[in-house]
Amino acid sequence: MGVFIRFAVVTVSFLLAVLLQNYRLLSRSLPAPKLNDTEYWGPGNGVNYQEDSAVKTFDIKVKPELIAGLKTQLSRPLNLHAPLEGIGFQYGFNTKELQNIVTYWLETYLRNWDKREAYLSQFPHFETQIQGLRIHYIHVKPQIAEGKTVLPLLLLHGWPGSVREFYDIIPLLTSPNEESEYIFEVIAPSLPGFGWSQGASKIGFGPAQIAVVLRNLMQRIGLDRFLVQGGDWGSVIGSNMAALFPQNVLAYHSNWCISLSPLALVTKTLCALFPRLYLDSEQREFFRSFSDEKSYLLEETGYVHLQATKPDTIGTVLSYNPIGLAAYILEKFSTWTNPEYRKLSDGGLTKNYTLDSLLDNVMIYYITNSITTSQRIYAEAFSKTQTDLDRVHIQIPTACARFKWDLTHATDAELKHKYKNLTQSTFYKDGGHFPALEVPQTLFKDFIEFVKKVAL
Ligand SMILES: *[C@@H]1O[C@H](CO)[C@@H](O)[C@H](O)[C@H]1NC(C)=O
Ligand SMILES: *[C@@H]1O[C@H](CO)[C@@H](O)[C@H](O)[C@H]1NC(C)=O
Ligand SMILES: *[C@@H]1O[C@H](CO)[C@@H](O)[C@H](O)[C@H]1NC(C)=O
C-alpha cells in the first residue's frame, strides 16, 4: 500500500508538472511571424514588376453586354426540381423561392439597373496596385465638422459579402453625430480576390498575407495609424493586422470575434460543458449546448470543407451561373441572419434586408466573376503562418460585439487568451452575421462606445 501511494503521488506530481509546463508554454505569446511585405502575388515571376503606386479613381460601370447576357440567362426556363413538400430552406435554397428571386431580379431589379449602378457608385471608388494586385476600395472623407476628432477607419467585409454591406453605416461614420466627438475617414476595400480587387495568382495567399497587403494599402493612402472594424474574414484579417502591425492599428473592433489558440479551444470546450462557470444567464442564451453546437456546425459548414479543399470546382459551378450563384450566396444570408429562417419557405430573406441590397451583393460577385477567387481564401487559411498568428497576443484595445443569431460565438474567457485588452464585450439579443447591413445603427453605436473608451 505504502509503495502504491508513493507511486501515485509521484505520478500525479509528474502529470501536474507536465500540465503546468504545457500551460506555461501554451499561454505565452508566440513572436509575430515575419511576413515579406513586398511579396509579389500577381501573375508570372514578377522580375520586371514595377509597382504602379498611383491611386486612381475607379468607375464601377458595368459593360452593357454583361447585363444583356445576364438578362438572357435569367430569361431561360429554369427547370429546377420542385422542393420537397412543406420544406423551407432545410435542404438548401428553396427552389420555389429561387424562382421568385429570379423573376424579381429580371423584371424589377435589372430593369432599374441604371439606378442600382448609380446607388453602388455613390461613394468615391479608387484602385491602386499593391504587390502585383489591383486593389479596389471605397474612400469617404468625413464632412468637415469643427470640434470633431477625425480618425481613419478600415472596414473589412467577409465571405460571401462585399463592400455593399457598408453602404448604410458609411454615412453614419462620416457625418457629424450626437453620440461623440469622433468622426471617421472610412476606407472600405474589396478584399483581394473579392469583387473589384484582383485575386492572387500564386498559392499561399491567405488572411495573414492579405493583412500585409491591406496595411500597405493604408500606407499608400497616407494613413499610418488607423482603427480596424471587421466581421467574418474581415475580422480574422483585422486581428492579423493587430498582431502583425500593432504600431499601425490603434484599436480593433470585431463583430465576429474568434480565438483559435489551443488554450482557447480547451476553454471553449469547458465553456460548452460548464456554461454556468463562464456566462451569466442572459449570455448563456447565445450559446448552444456542446452537442447542439457540434450538429449545428456539421449541418452548416459543409461549404467550408468544400471551399477549403476544392474551391475551383465549386467556383466553376458558380461562375457566370447567376441562378446557382444567387442560391449559394443568399442561402447564407438566410441562415446566418437567423437559423430559424431555415424553416421558412422564403428563407426570411426580406425580413431584415431589402431584396435590392441582397441582389447588389450577388451582382458584385457576378459582374466581377470573383466567386472562385473569393473561395480560395478558405484553402489558404489553414497554414502554419495562420496557426502561429492565432497564438500571438494582441495588446491593443479590442472590442467584441456579438449578435445573437450569428453562426457561432466566443466567450470572453476564450478571447482573453489572445486579446489581452478586451476593452468592450457586448451581447445583442437580435441581429446576425451581417450587422452592418442588418442593424447599422446598433453596430455604429457599439463602435462609437468602444472608440470613446479607447479615447484616442
Ligand atoms: C520578398 O518578395 C519579393 C518579391 O516577391 C522578393 O523579390 C524578395 O526576395 C522577398 N524577400 C524575402 C526576404 O524573401
Ligand atoms: C428581423 O425581422 C424580424 C421579423 O420582422 C424581426 O422580428 C427582427 O427583430 C428583425 N431583426 C432585427 C435585428 O431587426
Ligand atoms: C486597455 O485599453 C484601455 C483603453 O484604451 C486603456 O485605458 C487601458 O490602459 C489598457 N489596458 C492595458 C492593460 O493596456
Side-chain angles (χ1 to χ4, degrees):
M1 202 58 173
V3 172
F4 178 73
I5 286 174
R6 235 179 292 160
F7 179 71
V9 167
V10 169
T11 310
V12 168
S13 318
F14 176 73
L15 284 176
L16 278 177
V18 169
L19 266 177
L20 196 67
Q21 178 63 7
N22 273 309
Y23 182 82
R24 280 223 187 101
L25 285 176
L26 287 174
S27 60
R28 210 179 285 160
S29 179
L30 290 188
K34 293 248 176 306
L35 278 90
N36 181 349
D37 63 7
T38 59
E39 194 159 4
Y40 176 78
W41 293 104
N45 63 19
V47 277
N48 296 319
Y49 174 65
Q50 284 284 332
E51 189 150 290
D52 179 358
S53 62
V55 165
K56 300 172 186 161
T57 57
F58 182 77
D59 189 350
I60 63 160
K61 199 153 184 55
V62 181
K63 289 202 183 87
E65 307 90 88
L66 197 62
I67 300 298
L70 174 58
K71 285 182 179 164
T72 308
Q73 279 180 294
L74 294 179
S75 313
R76 288 193 191 121
L78 276 181
N79 296 325
L80 301 170
H81 275 283
L84 291 172
E85 291 164 12
I87 205 85
F89 270 49
Q90 297 95 329
Y91 279 58
F93 205 103
N94 185 300
T95 47
K96 252 194 212 152
E97 177 58 16
L98 191 54
Q99 175 74 69
N100 296 336
I101 302 250
V102 170
T103 303
Y104 180 86
W105 197 353
L106 182 64
E107 290 175 7
T108 307
Y109 181 95
L110 285 178
R111 198 164 280 172
N112 295 305
W113 172 245
D114 287 352
K115 280 201 194 118
R116 293 321 302 164
E117 204 173 41
Y119 179 88
L120 290 170
S121 305
Q122 68 182 285
F123 303 117
H125 291 255
F126 297 91
E127 64 174 321
T128 190
Q129 192 179 37
I130 293 177
Q131 295 173 255
L133 304 177
R134 179 191 66 252
I135 302 297
H136 155 264
Y137 61 97
I138 288 172
H139 184 177
V140 186
K141 293 194 173 149
Q143 296 170 25
I144 307 288
E146 240 174 274
K148 294 274 175 184
T149 306
V150 178
L151 295 171
L153 165 63
L154 178 65
L155 284 181
L156 299 176
H157 69 82
W159 189 93
S162 64
V163 290
R164 176 61 183 84
E165 290 175 61
F166 301 127
Y167 274 51
D168 291 323
I169 203 170
I170 287 174
L172 300 176
L173 291 161
T174 52
S175 19
N177 61 78
E178 297 184 348
E179 309 285 336
S180 76
E181 61 167 300
Y182 297 105
I183 187 165
F184 302 91
E185 173 170 359
V186 172
I187 312 294
S190 293
L191 296 182
F194 290 66
W196 295 281
S197 288
Q198 189 179 348
S201 293
K202 312 203 161 358
I203 59 170
F205 189 66
Q209 292 73 19
I210 294 176
V212 173
V213 169
L214 295 181
R215 201 278 298 250
N216 286 340
L217 171 68
M218 293 305 271
Q219 296 200 322
R220 171 74 48 82
I221 299 168
L223 302 171
D224 196 49
R225 306 260 291 152
F226 49 87
L227 299 151
V228 180
Q229 198 291 323
D232 197 85
W233 283 116
S235 171
V236 178
I237 294 163
S239 177
N240 287 343
M241 291 178 83
L244 291 166
F245 311 114
Q247 70 279 21
N248 301 113
V249 181
L250 294 163
Y252 162 64
H253 181 283
S254 169
N255 58 268
W256 194 59
C257 24
I258 48 172
S259 174
L260 293 173
S261 70
L263 278 185
L265 294 177
V266 171
T267 307
K268 188 178 207 54
T269 310
L270 291 174
C271 292
L273 293 173
F274 311 105
R276 275 158 207 280
L277 293 180
Y278 294 94
L279 299 160
D280 69 28
S281 63
E282 284 197 355
Q283 296 172 353
R284 285 204 294 278
E285 286 173 21
F286 283 65
F287 294 84
R288 296 178 196 89
S289 71
F290 192 58
S291 61
D292 284 355
E293 178 82 352
K294 239 183 5 195
S295 354
Y296 184 72
L297 289 180
L298 264 180
E299 272 176 52
E300 295 303 334
T301 57
Y303 79 102
V304 173
H305 198 158
L306 200 53
Q307 294 173 193
T309 53
K310 310 291 173 209
D312 288 27
T313 307
I314 181 66
T316 300
V317 173
L318 300 171
S319 287
Y320 289 121
N321 166 9
I323 293 149
L325 185 69
Y328 198 71
I329 291 178
L330 296 185
E331 181 216 288
K332 303 308 181 210
F333 280 81
S334 163
T335 306
W336 297 358
T337 298
N338 190 329
E340 288 292 308
Y341 290 175
R342 287 177 298 181
K343 296 179 185 154
L344 306 174
S345 60
D346 67 355
L349 281 170
T350 52
K351 280 188 184 297
N352 308 99
Y353 310 110
T354 62
L355 213 42
D356 283 346
S357 68
L358 295 175
L359 286 173
D360 284 347
N361 183 60
V362 174
M363 283 298 284
I364 290 175
Y365 282 85
Y366 181 84
I367 61 185
T368 59
N369 191 25
S370 59
I371 191 69
T372 302
T373 47
S374 75
Q375 289 168 333
R376 288 183 184 147
I377 191 173
Y378 291 82
E380 306 295 4
F382 299 89
S383 66
K384 169 125 176 37
T385 308
Q386 186 60 48
T387 44
D388 284 353
L389 266 169
D390 291 338
R391 290 181 57 192
V392 177
H393 292 180
I394 287 173
Q395 308 292 346
I396 64 163
T398 299
C400 171
R402 300 169 188 81
F403 293 87
K404 176 119 186 230
W405 305 116
D406 206 342
L407 263 173
T408 57
H409 300 291
T411 57
D412 283 359
E414 288 160 58
L415 297 176
K416 282 177 178 168
H417 286 296
K418 178 172 178 72
Y419 302 100
K420 294 300 166 181
N421 195 348
L422 188 60
T423 303
Q424 178 172 289
S425 165
T426 44
F427 291 79
Y428 294 97
K429 289 184 177 166
D430 209 344
H433 192 66
F434 305 97
L437 195 62
E438 190 191 6
V439 285
Q441 283 284 351
T442 314
L443 183 65
F444 170 68
K445 285 199 173 151
D446 192 89
F447 179 72
I448 281 281
E449 285 311 310
F450 172 54
V451 176
K452 282 200 255 180
K453 282 177 196 146
V454 176
L456 297 157

